[in-house]
Amino acid sequence: MTTLPSAPHDQDAIIPEPLANQLSTEHGAHRPHGNGGSQHLYEALRLASEAQHQLELALWASGESIWEWEAASDAVTIRTFIVANHPPDIVVLNSQDCFARVEADDLEQARLAWSMHVLGNADAVDISVRACMDGNTRWLRIRGQAVSRSDEGRALRMVGTVKDITRYREAEESLRLMASAFASSRDAMLVLTEQWQIIETNSAFTDLIKLKLHQLVGESLSRFVDLPDIMLRRLQRLGHAQAESLLQLTHEQQLPVEISISSFASSNGSAPYLIATLRDIRERKQAVKALERMARQDALTQLPNRNAFQEELEQRLPHASEYNPLAVLFIDLDGFKRINDSLGHEAGDELLQIVAGRLLTMLSPADTLARWGGDEFVAMLGDTASMRQLEELTARLLEAMRMPVSVRGHQVSVSASIGIALAPQDGYDSGTLLRHADSAMYAAKQSGRDRVDRYRPELDSDALSRIKLTSLLRQAAERSQLTFVAQPKVKADGRVVGCELLVRWTTKEFGAVSPVSFIPIAEETGIILTIGHQAIREAALLARQLQQTGQQISVAINLSPLQIRDPQLEQVLLSACREADISPMCIQIELTESAFLDSKQVTGLLLHTLKSHGFVLALDDFGTGYSSLSYLRDLPFDVIKIDRAFLHDIDRDERSAKLLAGIVDLCRALDMETVAEGLESRSQLAVLSQLGIGEYQGFYFHKPMAQSDFIALVKDAGPQHPA
């Protein structure tokens, strides 16, 4: 026990005063010789000394101190045995000093208990209080009793013990908190014997199981919960274990729980016991299932995702044979990127959901459809299908994809390219089979899109060529290694009035690569932006050189849908004109209908801005879409380029001629110039001239030529004047 400040040492602490005065030696003194009275006195003293020694040892062992109070002096003497077989430490205080050390919350009860006993109204003092001891607050249990009283009954002398019980109080508080936690825990808790018999439960368990405590005591926990063997072995080895199980609520209802069990040894030597906690994990299980579902399901379309499809394909591949082939379809949307870029990702997502629904309606319940990623889908046919049946199915799929779709108030249409691979003919594992179906799909796309192709070995080399071609194209674009040629524009009399800049690419590996091959790759990979910036700079420099010939000749450049959405486009155009020191009027910007098919409002704002800077705007390939007339009305075009499809039978088909005449009259009414593309014969020129077409492009007059040759052509023609 922590002691109070020390006081003068008193060797005669415990022995009553009269007896102590008669002691002449310690209990180890020599035995006296003499008469019998002395002998009896010596024995009495020896026995008293031994009794005192035993009392001191007992007090030391119990941690208790002795206190004594004298009413006459109000002195409280406290003796503490800190070391065995050593004299006690002694502190002398008055009662007020003692009360001053008691915590304020306990002071009133301490004073009351003391006064009640001093006045004879209580048989003893027995209180527990908090007191400040050496700067620390400790719990003390103080017990005592009066050993003498006055005639009026007031205590004259009191003795007793005081003990530091802080550790016990803390243990009691801990037990109280544990009991409170046990009772109020939201998790079901049980106290069990080592034989799993229920001793005690909290209300959470009884509420869950719908039984009273008296109905549960003595029952085995295994009646309600299946305990895995591995859990029991772990409990025996480690003293604690945890596992998931099912709590039987009724004959038909089970609750998933996480059960934790720990073994505890009893402090009083009785048999050990177990504490079991059962936690409701329904929400956790539901969350896990949701995560598993998310891991296997495409969030947008709710179709199986790539991982789920591959797992199912791996499971079904071993059952495929030459006589029972497994068909895998790789489906890619044509034109999706244009719609996604023009209307935004939300519209693109809506379109994908519609497409997924259409594909599902075309497939049987035995088939599996999954979203592979982006605008790509894969299908695995559940039943054996002949090539004829596959062709019929894919034809229906293509037809379904072509149907117009209403997306956010816009009528849009896409098509699909489909590749087919069969197992085991085209692959024995999922990776190979899917790769081959993908190669077949690309072959269908390169063949013109909106069609189906079947895998064949030579497609592998085509796929490798495409990868190599993409890599080389990226390098060429970044290093400005592409070249540009000029396609002259002329009047009916052959006068050169402008040109269109066309990109060309020649490689060591593949030789001259057709724009039909590399432009789609550039648009799909985004390389077209780099190519477009180079084309703008080339056009501005060519316009500068043409200006130096003294002639007003414009240079046209074609911009793809992706370039129209390039946020840098306006600045790139203006910077190129400033650097070349030319007016924007020297540059003609050509756009196809696909550039603003479903984002006319957004593209229209850009076109009006470019028009305000002075750029000439041309609508290319006019007549190939279904809404071109509305563009003539709403967008600020200066030039309409009539698609070569109109020229094909113009000299033989009267209906085509009449339709074209109407278009020319409409453009003339709107103050728009007309240009006929793809002019190849004198007879075509005669009809077009009669209809009033202003300008022409085509092999009949000039093929595309090097820029230097075009400049020479302009110079050789000399100064020209409008007809």
Side-chain angles (χ1 to χ4, degrees):
M1 167 180 172
T2 303
T3 62
L4 297 170
S6 61
H9 193 71
D10 184 356
Q11 291 283 359
D12 303 323
I14 303 301
I15 302 174
E17 191 70 25
L19 190 60
N21 291 337
Q22 298 180 48
L23 280 173
S24 58
T25 62
E26 294 292 332
H27 50 266
H30 296 290
R31 179 178 298 182
H33 299 279
N35 58 39
S38 297
Q39 180 67 28
H40 290 308
L41 177 59
Y42 173 79
E43 287 298 327
L45 291 174
R46 183 181 64 78
L47 292 173
S49 178
E50 289 181 358
Q52 175 170 322
H53 181 61
Q54 294 299 322
L55 177 58
E56 290 176 356
L57 286 176
L59 291 170
W60 166 79
S62 68
E64 293 184 286
S65 299
I66 297 295
W67 61 268
E68 180 180 357
W69 173 72
E70 294 284 351
S73 61
D74 193 29
V76 179
T77 303
I78 304 171
R79 296 175 175 84
T80 304
F81 297 88
I82 299 174
V83 181
N85 297 322
H86 280 69
D89 280 358
I90 299 175
V91 174
V92 179
L93 303 168
N94 59 45
S95 61
Q96 294 307 312
D97 290 335
C98 294
F99 284 125
R101 301 190 179 207
V102 176
E103 290 286 320
D105 291 343
D106 299 335
L107 182 58
E108 184 176 348
Q109 67 143 331
R111 287 187 180 278
L112 178 61
W114 179 268
S115 299
M116 291 285 288
H117 184 64
V118 168
L119 296 174
N121 295 322
D123 294 336
V125 175
D126 191 347
I127 55 173
S128 294
V129 296
R130 286 162 293 181
C132 182
M133 308 293 292
D134 296 337
N136 298 313
T137 299
R138 312 293 295 177
W139 275 100
L140 304 178
R141 184 176 183 184
I142 302 169
R143 291 183 289 185
Q145 212 169 357
V147 294
S148 63
R149 291 183 180 275
S150 66
D151 293 340
E152 293 80 16
R154 292 180 63 88
L156 300 176
R157 182 167 174 260
M158 293 169 56
V159 295
T161 61
V162 58
K163 184 175 183 177
D164 187 335
I165 59 170
T166 304
R167 189 157 48 91
Y168 304 105
R169 288 299 293 249
E170 289 175 348
E172 287 177 1
E173 181 65 14
S174 177
L175 287 173
R176 187 189 66 78
L177 291 174
M178 289 175 62
S180 176
F182 180 85
S184 60
S185 174
R186 295 176 61 183
D187 293 332
M189 299 184 70
L190 307 92
V191 182
L192 311 167
T193 67
E194 283 193 304
Q195 290 73 40
W196 305 100
Q197 291 177 312
I198 298 174
I199 302 172
E200 181 70 66
T201 75
N202 65 356
S203 58
F205 184 79
T206 55
D207 292 344
L208 196 61
I209 212 71
K210 306 301 182 188
L211 293 173
K212 301 295 185 182
L213 178 60
H214 71 271
Q215 296 174 289
L216 296 171
V217 173
E219 291 287 344
S220 174
L221 181 62
S222 59
R223 170 188 166 185
F224 306 102
V225 182
D226 182 22
L227 301 173
D229 291 340
I230 188 172
M231 182 181 187
L232 303 180
R233 292 194 297 270
R234 189 179 295 125
L235 180 64
Q236 291 176 347
R237 187 174 73 256
L238 303 175
H240 59 85
Q242 182 174 301
E244 291 185 4
S245 186
L246 293 171
L247 177 63
Q248 197 73 39
L249 300 180
T250 65
H251 291 299
E252 299 179 354
Q253 187 180 7
Q254 292 180 320
L255 176 70
V257 294
E258 178 186 81
I259 179 168
S260 301
I261 300 180
S262 298
S263 177
F264 291 89
S266 177
S267 59
N268 59 9
S270 58
Y273 59 94
L274 306 173
I275 298 291
T277 302
L278 282 68
R279 176 163 296 172
D280 183 346
I281 57 172
R282 279 175 296 189
E283 291 185 1
R284 185 199 302 176
K285 287 289 187 181
Q286 292 169 357
V288 169
K289 287 182 179 179
L291 289 174
E292 290 176 349
R293 187 168 57 252
M294 289 172 60
R296 297 177 55 82
Q297 188 179 67
D298 175 57
L300 178 65
T301 63
Q302 306 304 308
L303 294 175
N305 61 13
R306 179 184 302 207
N307 292 335
F309 185 86
Q310 285 183 294
E311 287 179 13
E312 184 174 346
L313 181 57
E314 288 286 357
Q315 293 171 2
R316 293 186 54 184
L317 275 174
H319 305 290
S321 67
E322 295 285 346
Y323 304 102
N324 184 30
L326 178 63
V328 172
L329 278 57
F330 209 107
I331 306 167
D332 182 85
L333 301 185
D334 306 322
F336 173 77
K337 188 173 185 352
R338 166 174 51 84
I339 294 171
N340 195 51
D341 290 342
S342 60
L343 294 183
H345 293 293
E346 291 182 355
D349 289 347
E350 184 177 334
L351 176 59
L352 289 173
Q353 290 171 331
I354 294 172
V355 167
R358 282 189 181 178
L359 290 173
L360 278 175
T361 60
M362 302 301 297
L363 299 172
S364 74
D367 301 333
T368 299
L369 177 68
R371 185 183 177 199
W372 190 250
D375 60 344
E376 296 176 328
F377 297 85
V378 285
M380 178 169 40
L381 304 188
D383 299 323
T384 303
S386 65
M387 283 309 301
R388 183 181 61 81
Q389 291 172 316
L390 278 175
E391 289 171 0
E392 292 175 353
L393 171 63
T394 52
R396 292 197 302 272
L397 290 174
L398 292 180
E399 184 179 358
M401 290 299 99
R402 295 188 197 108
M403 294 174 60
V405 178
S406 177
V407 177
R408 296 184 175 268
H410 299 269
Q411 284 291 113
V412 300
S413 61
V414 293
S415 59
S417 298
I418 302 176
I420 300 174
L422 299 178
Q425 297 95 317
D426 301 328
Y428 294 95
D429 61 89
S430 63
T432 301
L433 197 63
L434 287 163
R435 187 171 64 253
H436 289 170
D438 187 33
S439 297
M441 180 274 295
Y442 269 110
K445 194 175 284 287
Q446 291 176 338
S447 298
R449 306 187 178 192
D450 189 23
R451 61 190 63 202
V452 181
D453 208 337
R454 163 81 195 278
Y455 171 77
R456 47 196 186 279
E458 55 266 30
L459 293 181
D460 286 338
S461 60
D462 293 343
L464 291 174
S465 296
R466 180 183 175 84
I467 294 172
K468 181 66 173 177
L469 205 62
T470 302
S471 176
L472 291 173
L473 180 60
R474 190 178 300 279
Q475 293 178 15
E478 292 173 350
R479 298 172 184 175
S480 299
Q481 294 174 342
L482 299 169
T483 58
F484 293 86
V485 297
Q487 168 75 63
K489 292 182 184 178
V490 300
K491 290 289 187 180
D493 60 2
R495 283 186 302 113
V496 178
V497 292
C499 71
E500 180 180 354
L501 210 58
L502 305 173
V503 64
R504 295 292 184 264
W505 183 35
T506 302
T507 68
K508 293 180 180 179
E509 295 85 347
F510 299 98
V513 183
S514 169
V516 175
S517 298
F518 73 80
I519 290 297
I521 295 176
E523 290 179 341
E524 291 173 13
T525 58
I527 301 174
I528 194 67
L529 294 177
T530 305
I531 297 174
H533 290 177
Q534 185 183 351
I536 291 170
R537 291 190 294 270
E538 288 276 346
L541 292 174
L542 178 57
R544 173 64 178 172
Q545 291 175 295
L546 293 171
Q547 193 177 70
Q548 291 171 347
T549 67
Q551 302 191 49
Q552 296 297 319
I553 295 179
S554 65
V555 179
I557 51 174
N558 246 301
L559 297 183
S560 74
L562 189 61
Q563 290 173 281
I564 289 297
R565 290 160 189 79
D566 179 9
Q568 301 180 35
L569 176 62
E570 181 183 355
Q571 290 305 315
V572 170
L573 284 165
L574 293 174
S575 296
C577 291
R578 284 195 300 269
E579 292 171 5
D581 193 23
I582 62 168
S583 167
M585 294 179 64
C586 298
I587 302 297
Q588 181 172 301
I589 299 172
E590 297 185 0
L591 304 96
T592 61
E593 186 177 325
S594 62
F596 39 81
L597 179 60
D598 295 300
S599 62
K600 187 168 62 176
Q601 183 178 3
V602 176
T603 308
L605 292 174
L606 174 63
L607 295 184
H608 281 287
T609 300
L610 296 179
K611 176 84 169 179
S612 69
H613 289 307
F615 293 101
V616 180
L617 304 179
L619 177 58
D620 199 8
D621 298 338
F622 179 80
T624 59
Y626 57 84
S627 56
S628 299
L629 292 179
S630 68
Y631 300 146
L632 299 185
R633 180 193 64 194
D634 300 331
L635 299 176
F637 288 110
D638 303 292
V639 179
I640 301 300
K641 298 186 71 175
I642 299 170
D643 188 77
R644 66 181 63 242
F646 277 94
L647 276 62
H648 184 63
D649 294 323
I650 195 71
D651 51 350
R652 297 186 300 272
D653 186 348
E654 185 178 351
R655 289 173 61 86
S656 295
K658 289 182 177 180
L659 177 61
L660 188 54
I663 293 174
V664 173
D665 289 341
L666 177 61
C667 291
R668 187 181 295 116
L670 295 174
D671 294 326
M672 295 179 180
E673 296 182 9
T674 52
V675 178
E677 297 182 285
L679 181 66
E680 297 179 351
S681 68
R682 178 180 292 275
S683 60
Q684 288 177 337
L685 177 61
V687 175
L688 294 172
S689 297
Q690 186 177 2
L691 292 175
I693 298 293
E695 298 176 3
Y696 305 89
Q697 274 183 270
F699 287 3
Y700 177 72
F701 284 106
H702 298 284
K703 292 182 179 181
M705 60 184 68
Q707 295 181 50
S708 58
D709 293 340
F710 179 70
I711 294 172
L713 176 66
V714 172
K715 287 181 177 179
D716 291 343
Q720 300 176 11
H721 304 282

